[in-house]
Amino acid sequence: MSWDRVHRRHELVHAVLASGLTTVPPGLATEVDAEFGDFGGFLQEVQRRWYRAFDARLDAVLEEWPRDLHDALVRQWQDLALTMPAARRMLDANADHPALVGADEQHRRRLHAATGLVLSPASLTEPPAGRRKQCLWSLLLRTT
């Protein structure tokens, strides 16, 4: 992939996320489809960026291996959500999209292998009325 294409993909992701929408704005749909194939391909790119950022932070957490690893990972997830709020909103709003399921499961297995922790069941929890859905990934549970 050429540098120009990498840069173009970055610009498109940024433009879509900056829109504040959880779908691709109509004015960018043609470009997104041309670059990513479809909305699913776009979501996978956002997901890759999220997990790359999460995993980079995970390395630092695992180097220290805090006494309460579960809480440390929950805090890491929440901090990253504050750093990348538009990406988190996009992923949470589209958590049921088939394009995201495979990588979510793969990441869940890798996280379990690295930490012994598992994530909540593969379903979204229903938040109190008026609040955004929380992605299943934000609900870490201890293994038994």
Side-chain angles (χ1 to χ4, degrees), residues 44 46-65 69 72-73 76-81 84 88 91 103-115 117 119 137 140:
Q44 288 172 330
V46 174
Q47 183 184 51
R48 272 191 294 277
R49 290 167 186 241
W50 175 267
Y51 284 138
R52 206 170 329 157
F54 181 85
D55 291 346
R57 292 173 179 220
L58 177 62
D59 285 344
V61 171
L62 294 180
E63 283 181 17
E64 294 178 17
W65 205 274
L69 183 59
L73 292 179
Q76 174 186 317
W77 188 273
Q78 292 168 346
D79 290 347
L80 186 57
M84 299 173 65
R88 189 68 262 149
L91 293 171
D104 279 346
E105 178 59 23
Q106 181 182 30
H107 193 267
R108 185 199 64 76
R109 285 192 312 265
R110 284 185 308 177
L111 184 61
H112 179 261
T115 66
L117 299 174
L119 301 175
W137 291 98
L140 296 167

Side-chain angles (χ1 to χ4, degrees), residues 11-22:
E11 286 178 338
L12 278 172
V13 169
H14 179 75
V16 171
L17 295 178
S19 76
L21 300 174
T22 57

